[in-house]
């Protein structure tokens, strides 16, 4: 099977249309901002438009630019959201509920399908992430 590369803007806009129709979409994210829970270029994620979002959800959002990120929701104040990648040591993104394209419902690792957790323990371990991620990157 030939591999086809499509620009993020095209792929994710089409994914947004499908999710708005109530369909589930599977994409393969790139990058390392969600390590160790999502390995960019290797894992795939299933996304669905959900009626609501909660702290701990992994969200695909459209930011100005347009720029797209798949990060975890770390705080919610009305319709204002703050996101941060699990593999990030600092740096957050701010957006609104209207910017949310979909929520991760499953992570596919080869033939294994993993239901995403809410990242509660990972958020608690934030002061130690630097060391945990350094060890993880050396092992993997």
């Amino acid at each position: 099977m030939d591999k086809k590369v499509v620009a993020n803007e095209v792929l994710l806009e089409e994914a947004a249309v499908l999710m708005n129709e109530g369909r589930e979409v599977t994409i393969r994210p790139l990058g390392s901002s969600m390590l160790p829970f999502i390995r960019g270029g290797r894992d795939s994620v299933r996304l669905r438009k959900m009626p609501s979002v909660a702290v701990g959800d992994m969200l695909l959002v459209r930011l100005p630019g347009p720029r797209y990120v798949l990060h975890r929701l770390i705080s919610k104040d009305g319709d204002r959201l703050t996101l941060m990648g699990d593999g990030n040591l600092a740096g957050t993104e701010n957006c609104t509920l209207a910017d949310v394209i979909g929520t991760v419902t499953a992570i596919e690792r080869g033939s294994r399908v993993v239901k995403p957790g809410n990242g509660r323990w990972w958020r608690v371990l934030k002061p130690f992430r630097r060391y945990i991620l350094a060890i993880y990157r050396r092992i993997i």
Side-chain angles (χ1 to χ4, degrees):
M1 179 192 290
D2 290 334
K3 188 175 186 178
K4 194 171 215 176
V5 177
V6 179
N8 270 349
E9 297 80 30
V10 175
L11 174 71
L12 298 176
E13 283 303 319
E14 185 61 28
V17 169
L18 293 171
M19 284 185 272
N20 283 331
E21 293 173 356
R23 295 174 156 188
E24 185 173 71
V25 174
T26 302
I27 63 169
R28 179 167 288 177
L30 301 174
S32 60
S33 66
M34 287 301 290
L35 283 175
F37 302 105
I38 299 173
R39 295 173 296 184
R42 293 176 63 188
D43 296 339
S44 294
V45 294
R46 294 181 192 167
L47 297 153
R48 183 176 292 279
K49 185 80 170 181
M50 302 302 245
S52 64
V53 297
V55 170
D57 287 348
M58 292 180 190
L59 305 175
L60 176 64
V61 300
R62 182 186 304 110
L63 299 174
R67 191 176 73 124
Y68 299 86
V69 295
L70 182 101
H71 284 171
R72 193 177 300 275
L73 178 59
I74 59 170
S75 73
K76 181 180 174 187
D77 182 18
D79 74 335
R80 304 286 308 155
L81 309 176
T82 303
L83 301 125
M84 181 181 199
D86 289 343
N88 294 350
L89 302 174
T92 59
E93 295 84 26
N94 296 301
C95 62
T96 66
L97 282 172
D99 299 321
V100 175
I101 296 173
T103 302
V104 174
T105 59
I107 301 166
E108 298 176 359
R109 293 196 173 118
S111 61
R112 240 177 65 198
V113 177
V114 179
K115 184 176 166 104
N118 65 8
R120 181 172 158 239
W121 287 108
W122 191 244
R123 291 191 316 266
V124 168
L125 291 171
K126 186 177 174 200
F128 306 102
R129 275 189 197 177
R130 174 181 313 275
Y131 309 108
I132 296 168
L133 287 168
I135 292 167
Y136 176 82
R137 286 184 176 118
R138 285 190 177 96
I139 292 172
I140 303 298

